[in-house]
Amino acid sequence: MSVIEVKNLSFSYTQDVETIKDINFKIDKGSFVSIVGHNGCGKSTLVKLLIGLLTPKKGEIFINGKLLTKNSVNEIRQKMALVFQNPDNQFIGATVEDDIAFGLENKCVPHNHMQAIINEYANEVGMIDYLKKEPSMLSGGQKQRVAIAGALALNPEIIIFDESTSMLDPKGKRDVRELILKMKQNNPNLTVISITHDIEEAYESDTVIVMSEGRIATLGNPKEVLKDKKLMSQVGIEMPFILTLQDKFKKQGIDIPSVDNVDQLVEALWQLK
């Protein structure tokens, strides 16, 4: 079942140049989809179109089968949550607890139910011990965890990460990647869309959409799509570390079976004779 369907979508900020050029794709319910591409390829514009911040020049967007329009956008947004690139831009409360509560208050969740919801999602993202802390005192990775907890607390059907790891150090990126995978395991019906430069994150998704110059260059299983060296070079994307390493081993005459992560790669290397 498609939770999002985009048909012949085009958009331009000016009359002369199209930022999004006649793109089509579907996203299945419960899937984890990464959208990658170089700067200026149209990724962030696509997010703004999906959540109704921008209006298409041409084409249609369906969310759960409902056409996204000015009349339906508020209803549709109730089913979606967005985690921004810079979590400081979405902090409202004086404490972590207050910040997670903010969206629940907007949805008029009764106060006697609110604390249990806050505790549940703070615990899910590993921030239960920080509820009384000021967000400004947290690390970048911790701030993103709080932002994710606030989004999950709204019980969305779709959660969109807009470059949510781009400002983090390598450990922070890894922690958020692991949290997204854990989140999907705990919420199998949740649809996750990640607009990202983190190719390692894209490699772990179910589907990757590669954008270039406002168009979809290709889409499919990241294990297949991202190993296309010629295409990755054309669109300005580096191959994932694990595929680069496998390629170098192959050039040395060492054939390693297909693996999904570094742990599996290490295990495969141990088994080589």
Side-chain angles (χ1 to χ4, degrees), residues 25-243:
F25 64 88
K26 295 180 180 181
I27 294 178
D28 292 336
K29 182 178 180 179
S31 61
F32 174 17
V33 177
S34 293
I35 302 178
V36 301
H38 56 76
N39 288 333
C41 71
K43 302 188 302 296
S44 292
T45 298
L46 178 57
V47 169
K48 292 174 183 176
L49 288 163
L50 291 178
I51 63 176
L53 287 178
L54 296 174
T55 301
K57 176 183 175 182
K58 292 188 299 184
E60 299 170 316
I61 299 171
F62 294 88
I63 309 293
N64 281 329
K66 191 175 187 67
L67 179 64
L68 179 61
T69 66
K70 290 182 179 180
N71 293 328
S72 65
V73 64
N74 289 332
E75 177 188 346
I76 287 173
R77 281 180 185 165
Q78 296 298 311
K79 302 174 183 179
M80 306 174 79
L82 179 63
V83 177
F84 295 100
Q85 179 181 34
N86 185 351
D88 289 329
N89 291 339
Q90 62 192 105
F91 283 143
I92 301 296
T95 67
V96 167
E97 185 176 45
D98 291 341
D99 200 77
I100 298 174
F102 179 76
L104 298 173
E105 290 172 344
N106 284 342
K107 292 188 74 172
C108 300
V109 174
H111 279 272
N112 58 330
H113 294 161
M114 200 176 294
Q115 193 61 55
I117 296 172
I118 293 170
N119 290 346
E120 176 185 355
Y121 290 105
N123 185 63
E124 185 166 332
V125 301
M127 294 299 291
I128 191 68
D129 295 331
Y130 296 83
L131 289 179
K132 301 301 180 182
K133 294 281 188 181
E134 295 180 22
S136 62
M137 303 300 292
L138 303 177
S139 69
Q142 289 172 330
K143 289 177 180 179
Q144 281 295 28
R145 286 174 176 270
V146 174
I148 293 169
L152 289 175
L154 300 176
N155 193 31
E157 295 180 22
I158 303 165
I159 186 167
I160 300 175
F161 294 86
D162 187 10
E163 303 281 9
S164 58
T165 63
S166 64
M167 299 181 67
L168 302 180
D169 60 23
K171 182 181 184 303
K173 291 178 187 287
R174 185 170 61 252
D175 288 348
V176 172
R177 284 203 306 268
E178 291 174 355
L179 178 57
I180 291 174
L181 293 175
K182 175 187 173 185
M183 183 179 68
K184 280 295 295 124
Q185 291 174 351
N186 294 340
N187 305 271
N189 289 324
L190 178 66
T191 303
V192 175
I193 302 171
S194 179
I195 313 300
T196 183
H197 278 95
D198 187 349
I199 206 66
E200 307 303 329
E201 177 186 328
Y203 189 71
E204 294 175 333
S205 59
D206 300 319
T207 301
V208 62
I209 297 174
V210 180
M211 293 190 65
S212 179
E213 307 299 337
R215 301 184 185 276
I216 294 179
T218 188
L219 58 81
N221 186 320
K223 309 299 186 294
E224 297 298 322
V225 169
L226 298 178
K227 72 179 182 181
D228 186 336
K229 290 189 289 184
K230 183 178 179 180
L231 176 62
M232 294 302 100
S233 177
Q234 288 175 346
V235 299
I237 299 175
E238 293 184 1
M239 289 175 61
F241 169 76
I242 191 170
L243 294 180

